[in-house]
Amino acid sequence: MSNEVIIKNAVKKYGDFTALNGVSLDIHEGEFFTLLGPSGCGKTTLLRMIAGFNSIEGGEFYFGDKLINDVPAHKRDIGMVFQNYAIFPHLDVKDNVAYGLKARNVPKNQIAPKVKEALELVQIAHLADRKPNELSGGQQQRVALARAFVIEPSVLLMDEPLSNLDAKLRVQMRTVIKKLQRRLGITTIYVTHDQEEALAISDRIAVMKDGHIMQIGTPSEIYAKPQNPFVAGFIGVSNFLDCEVDKDGMTVIKNELKIKVPLRKPYAGAAKLSARPEQLFFSKEGMPGTVQLSTFLGDFIEYEVKLDDGQELIINEYTKDTSEIHTDGEKVFISFDPDRVSLYEAETEEVISQ
């Protein structure tokens, strides 16, 4: 039975260093939820607190309506997939997968069928009698997944499970993981620093920085409507431009371009505008600049443009939408779609665009 995971004001300290500072989350039953952020942001610390591997200095952790703060790790009904696989080198594949079932005193006559089903789920039933040193990295990771799934945990925890694989295999394995999670419906909490991986695999994402949650949302919400400059800069590529919002709510960029960005509240003063490369476009008027470099990437052309005021922008133009490729050194004008960009107060970095 899958469980909702509720965290209220989690605090974790190491001496004078606060690794987590009042983190709260509500992870839905059956959801694929990802903790995303740079190294040192607290994401693995939080995962290990959920697992019971780290002590809790403050806050409350619930599986469903059960408080688990003082429940030892082996009684929390979790499955865990580690970065380094953590499979036993002296056991063959089927015995590695059976280990958790034996530890839970599952009747012997039920173990073999459950192991067989788990190996078939991850498509390595033909490798049941092999030892880990006879497997590739991707096959070892499938063993780790099967061992975590086979015990039918109420919560599945994954700590950077794909970081040791090459790029192509990472893409293949993240698809395997997502399909398995959807099929089994297990509440899954996944830790990664890879933004593309998080966007591809998650139902929702919590972006973390310095022990705080910066934003929680679906992949499309996080990407299209970042709530602060950190999220805008950490997820994908963003262009940032200093600007002013006048008393009429008009956004003025370096006196070169005026656009009407829809605001969620009245505001006038210094601001910062964030735009994805695909949210910029070439126009007949706008901010003047010069193409520094054009790179043809198949589906789109990536341009580096230096504005006349010295700022540099990245612009993506999709090949299906244009028959013309701008050449290096060409003079151009750049504009925005005001409904798609994000606008932040300069001082507080609070989002003010709708």
Side-chain angles (χ1 to χ4, degrees), residues 267-296:
Y267 178 77
K272 180 178 290 188
L273 183 142
S274 166
R276 303 290 187 188
E278 67 274 16
Q279 294 169 345
L280 302 171
F281 56 87
F282 297 103
S283 56
K284 293 183 178 180
E285 57 183 19
M287 297 182 296
T290 304
V291 176
Q292 301 293 299
L293 181 68
S294 59
T295 305
F296 182 79

Side-chain angles (χ1 to χ4, degrees), residues 180-200:
L180 283 171
Q181 191 273 339
R182 281 189 173 174
R183 178 173 174 178
L184 299 173
I186 298 174
T187 304
T188 299
I189 305 173
Y190 189 97
V191 162
T192 185
H193 64 274
D194 187 317
Q195 304 98 313
E196 181 181 308
E197 188 172 287
L199 292 172

Side-chain angles (χ1 to χ4, degrees), residues 205-222:
I205 299 168
V207 183
M208 297 184 66
K209 177 190 178 187
D210 298 335
H212 296 272
I213 301 291
M214 303 303 289
Q215 184 175 349
I216 299 172
T218 65
S220 60
E221 288 169 346
I222 294 283

Side-chain angles (χ1 to χ4, degrees), residues 325-351:
I325 296 179
H326 297 282
T327 57
D328 297 356
E330 182 179 344
K331 298 291 186 180
V332 292
F333 289 97
I334 307 299
S335 193
F336 303 82
D337 180 347
D339 291 322
R340 299 181 65 197
V341 299
S342 297
L343 199 62
Y344 309 99
E345 288 188 20
E347 184 175 349
T348 66
E349 296 193 338
E350 179 187 349
V351 65

Side-chain angles (χ1 to χ4, degrees), residues 45-334:
T45 296
L46 180 58
L47 192 79
R48 292 179 63 84
M49 291 169 77
I50 297 168
F53 300 154
N54 281 354
S55 61
I56 299 170
E57 268 71 63
E60 298 174 339
F61 288 69
Y62 293 88
F63 285 0
D65 57 3
K66 181 181 180 182
L67 182 68
I68 61 163
N69 285 45
D70 298 322
V71 176
H74 68 280
K75 292 185 178 181
R76 291 196 180 188
D77 193 23
I78 60 166
M80 188 87 187
V81 182
F82 298 92
Q83 180 177 345
N84 62 355
Y85 317 137
I87 55 180
F88 300 115
H90 63 289
L91 298 180
D92 62 21
V93 167
K94 64 180 184 299
D95 286 338
N96 261 288
V97 176
Y99 182 84
L101 296 171
K102 292 175 181 178
R104 293 182 173 215
N105 296 314
V106 172
K108 192 173 182 180
N109 65 336
Q110 295 180 21
I111 291 177
K114 285 179 178 291
V115 169
K116 183 174 183 290
E117 181 183 15
L119 293 177
E120 287 173 349
L121 268 175
V122 296
Q123 301 178 334
I124 54 169
H126 60 293
L127 303 176
D129 296 320
R130 292 194 186 179
K131 292 287 181 65
N133 64 357
E134 299 176 290
L135 305 177
S136 69
Q139 290 167 341
Q140 290 183 47
Q141 192 56 281
R142 287 173 188 256
V143 175
L145 286 170
R147 188 178 59 186
F149 282 125
V150 76
I151 61 174
E152 300 177 14
S154 60
V155 178
L156 179 64
L157 307 177
M158 298 193 185
D159 187 10
E160 304 260 13
L162 307 182
S163 61
N164 288 337
L165 305 179
D166 63 51
K168 185 175 181 180
L169 192 54
R170 280 204 305 272
V171 173
Q172 293 174 352
M173 285 303 299
R174 77 189 188 199
T175 302
V176 169
I177 288 171
K178 183 59 179 175
K179 286 181 177 178
L180 283 171
Q181 191 273 339
R182 281 189 173 174
R183 178 173 174 178
L184 299 173
I186 298 174
T187 304
T188 299
I189 305 173
Y190 189 97
V191 162
T192 185
H193 64 274
D194 187 317
Q195 304 98 313
E196 181 181 308
E197 188 172 287
L199 292 172
I201 208 169
S202 311
D203 293 322
R204 285 192 302 151
I205 299 168
V207 183
M208 297 184 66
K209 177 190 178 187
D210 298 335
H212 296 272
I213 301 291
M214 303 303 289
Q215 184 175 349
I216 299 172
T218 65
S220 60
E221 288 169 346
I222 294 283
Y223 184 83
K225 293 295 181 182
Q227 293 299 295
N228 50 72
F230 174 79
V231 174
F234 186 74
I235 304 290
V237 177
S238 283
N239 298 285
F240 291 100
L241 289 167
D242 294 328
C243 56
E244 291 280 337
V245 179
D246 66 21
K247 59 182 176 59
D248 297 319
M250 189 71 71
T251 301
V252 184
I253 304 170
K254 298 291 185 182
N255 293 317
E256 298 284 0
L257 179 67
K258 289 186 176 183
I259 56 175
K260 186 73 172 179
V261 176
L263 302 180
R264 60 176 60 183
K265 65 176 185 178
Y267 178 77
K272 180 178 290 188
L273 183 142
S274 166
R276 303 290 187 188
E278 67 274 16
Q279 294 169 345
L280 302 171
F281 56 87
F282 297 103
S283 56
K284 293 183 178 180
E285 57 183 19
M287 297 182 296
T290 304
V291 176
Q292 301 293 299
L293 181 68
S294 59
T295 305
F296 182 79
L297 296 170
D299 288 346
F300 65 93
I301 306 141
E302 181 183 272
Y303 295 100
E304 295 181 22
V305 175
K306 187 171 186 178
L307 300 180
D308 287 359
D309 66 9
Q311 297 185 90
E312 294 187 353
L313 303 176
I314 301 294
I315 301 170
N316 291 345
E317 189 171 50
Y318 288 89
T319 49
K320 68 179 180 61
D321 298 327
T322 183
S323 58
E324 174 190 9
I325 296 179
H326 297 282
T327 57
D328 297 356
E330 182 179 344
K331 298 291 186 180
V332 292
F333 289 97
I334 307 299

